[in-house]
Amino acid sequence: MQTLLFTPMDLRGVHVRNRIVVSPMLTYAAVNGYVQDMHTIHYGKLAYGGAGLVMVESTKADPRGASTPRDLGIWKDDFLPGLTKIADTIKAYGAVAGIQLGHSGRKARRSVPWEGRTPLASHPGLDHGEEWELVAPSEIAHSNGWYMPRALSIDDIETLIEGYGAAVERVKKAGFDVLELHAAHGYLLHQFLSPVANQRTDKYGGSDENRLRFAREVLDRIRQSWPDDKPLFLRVSAVDEAGWLVEDSARVARALKEHGVDVIDCSSGGMTPGGSTVNFGAPAGYGYQAPYAEYVRKHADVMTMAVGLIIHADQAEAILQSGQADLVALGREMLNNPNWPMDAATKLGIDDPYSMVPPLYSFYLQKRMQADFGGRPSTWREGIETESVPSDDAD
Ligand SMILES: Cc1cc2nc3c(=O)[nH]c(=O)nc-3n(C[C@H](O)[C@H](O)[C@H](O)COP(=O)(O)O)c2cc1C
């Protein structure tokens, strides 16, 4: 059977074996910004399971932008060996290696989620050995009880933009083929776009156009270093709890595709505490953000990626078939089942469903599938009423 999910695609010069993307997810496993063994295992496992593109978590070009003391860094060359190992491992298993560049701005310096995600004082030892001040477009704290950021000066902004450029040079050296700029979830780029977080009176604030300037300049600097044959994704909060509308996102997407953005990754929320999975109080349901990807795709005439509670194979396929998005990204479902892509292939009935996983899996699972008489039993009871698996492979 032909599916869109398993139809390969070319993004600029980068060939992706299917349209399944591992959404960027912080692992909170770095030590002073450095890659640990856990990262290689984690990202390797996700590539091994058959995803087309594995996007490495939000990695910081500026130590002040780390959301927690356990974020990955890319602000100095010392990080290159670890990042190269991640990229090499992902590519060794046939997936495209992508990486997200993030900066948390006024939402930086917090404890990890399972320790409450609360603002931390700037204590030495947890500060990557660097100054860890909070910076943002304006001196406006994220919320009550959060630390006040310092408003970035024009000089600071120029230095920051140059830092993105230097980080992109490292992304290239490490061997990643897709780059995503994080402009969602109430973080620095989103803060600049938002009239709530950005109340500057200089050329970076005051009007829609001025609030867009920082993103334009960061993207231009990124594109200066990022090769023309490599795709650039932009993650946005398509809507937020502070008044940002999907129409605003379409406007931003139209403007920023002129700066070399190929795919708009449509997430939502994060501008206020508690708003990180935006649903305006309602429980998030299946594919709750896919309509944003659809709107932006239609109104900005740009490729989009849908994300958010995409769980089932036929659900992912329907998102692509109905033209809501060009790619689907899965986050927590990939933590639940890193082999989701190969599992989805069997469920959608594609020919040779194990073709995207290494022979260790494909050889044995193909045999097991045949032993199950043309497919898996749908229940355990149905299974035991049929013959058992031949035992000649018990080596
Ligand atoms: C543990 C964890 C870490 C995350 N870290 C990031 C991140 O680094 N960058 C980002 O843009 N989104 C991050 N997210 C959001 C996910 O990429 C995704 O958008 C969200 O989980 C919704 O998709 P899902 O329902 O498939 O999990 C994270 C989510 C989780 C669960």
Side-chain angles (χ1 to χ4, degrees):
M1 154 151 173
Q2 268 294 340
T3 61
L4 268 179
L5 197 59
F6 290 99
T7 303
M9 73 192 293
D10 292 314
L11 294 162
R12 296 201 182 217
V14 175
H15 184 74
V16 190
R17 62 184 166 184
N18 58 49
R19 292 158 194 228
I20 304 165
V21 178
V22 176
S23 202
M25 280 180 287
L26 285 159
T27 53
Y28 307 102
V31 176
N32 290 330
Y34 286 89
V35 168
Q36 306 296 304
D37 287 349
M38 180 274 177
H39 293 102
T40 322
I41 295 166
H42 173 72
Y43 290 113
K45 175 173 86 172
L46 292 161
Y48 204 99
L53 165 62
V54 177
M55 194 76 82
V56 168
E57 67 198 79
S58 174
T59 302
K60 306 303 178 323
D62 170 5
R64 296 172 302 184
S67 56
T68 77
R70 309 301 304 271
D71 288 22
L72 281 178
I74 192 164
W75 61 85
K76 55 186 179 189
D77 289 345
D78 298 1
F79 296 129
L80 275 174
L83 293 169
T84 306
K85 201 168 166 196
I86 296 180
D88 285 350
T89 308
I90 293 171
K91 291 186 290 186
Y93 298 126
V96 170
I99 189 166
Q100 187 186 55
L101 289 184
H103 191 303
S104 301
R106 67 182 189 173
K107 285 178 74 176
R109 218 176 70 209
R110 288 178 293 154
S111 57
V112 298
W114 42 92
E115 288 170 8
R117 230 180 203 155
T118 45
L120 295 170
S122 185
H123 33 104
L126 285 182
D127 63 0
H128 318 304
E130 320 264 341
E131 177 66 22
W132 197 357
E133 66 169 345
L134 294 190
V135 292
S138 300
E139 273 186 28
I140 304 170
H142 181 55
S143 181
N144 290 339
W146 290 62
Y147 292 102
M148 186 63 80
R150 181 174 66 78
L152 290 157
S153 68
I154 298 279
D155 279 355
D156 291 328
I157 290 175
E158 284 168 6
T159 309
L160 204 52
I161 291 172
E162 214 27 65
Y164 275 102
V168 174
E169 294 296 338
R170 294 186 191 104
V171 166
K172 276 196 302 192
K173 280 194 190 134
F176 290 94
D177 290 312
V178 172
L179 184 61
E180 175 165 282
L181 180 64
H182 198 343
H185 302 170
Y187 296 131
L188 188 68
L189 269 290
H190 187 181
Q191 288 160 28
F192 267 92
L193 291 173
S194 164
V196 176
N198 177 354
Q199 293 182 8
R200 298 177 74 97
T201 51
D202 61 8
K203 64 180 180 173
Y204 291 101
S207 64
D208 286 348
E209 195 41 46
N210 280 356
R211 279 185 275 101
L212 196 52
R213 190 180 309 277
F214 181 63
R216 285 189 197 271
E217 291 180 356
V218 171
L219 286 165
D220 285 346
R221 181 61 192 87
I222 287 177
R223 265 287 168 217
Q224 220 179 304
S225 287
W226 191 235
D228 280 348
D229 63 351
K230 298 209 171 162
L232 179 56
F233 289 34
L234 182 77
R235 174 165 273 203
V236 297
S237 279
V239 298
D240 72 23
E241 333 74 358
W244 188 263
L245 304 173
V246 71
E247 290 83 352
D248 293 313
S249 293
R251 168 178 56 80
V252 162
R254 272 193 302 276
L256 297 185
K257 71 178 185 178
E258 304 305 327
H259 295 259
V261 171
D262 302 297
V263 176
I264 305 286
D265 174 3
C266 294
S267 188
S268 64
M271 191 43 78
T272 60
S276 53
T277 33
V278 157
N279 234 350
F280 306 108
Y286 283 134
Y288 61 102
Q289 294 169 144
Y292 306 137
E294 180 177 18
Y295 187 94
V296 171
R297 189 173 190 257
K298 191 165 162 205
H299 290 88
D301 193 20
V302 65
M303 283 193 281
T304 59
M305 181 154 82
V307 64
L309 287 180
I310 300 172
I311 307 286
H312 299 290
D314 56 349
Q315 178 201 4
E317 177 65 14
I319 288 170
L320 300 178
Q321 288 286 353
S322 63
Q324 287 190 296
D326 301 272
L327 293 151
V328 288
L330 284 76
R332 290 161 295 179
E333 187 56 24
M334 287 288 186
L335 302 183
N336 179 52
N337 178 10
N339 298 326
W340 190 91
M342 85 178 187
D343 189 47
T346 64
K347 287 178 173 149
L348 293 178
I350 72 157
D351 301 334
D352 200 5
Y354 298 115
S355 57
M356 85 277 296
V357 294
L360 173 67
Y361 286 15
S362 57
F363 178 81
Y364 285 102
L365 295 178
Q366 193 66 44
K367 267 182 183 294
R368 188 183 68 152
M369 199 178 207
Q370 285 155 7
D372 282 339
F373 318 107
R376 286 198 238 188
S378 53
T379 64
W380 172 73
R381 188 153 296 284
E382 188 188 313
I384 58 172
E385 280 159 12
T386 56
E387 286 176 42
S388 56
V389 179
S391 60
D392 63 328
D393 285 326
D395 48 4

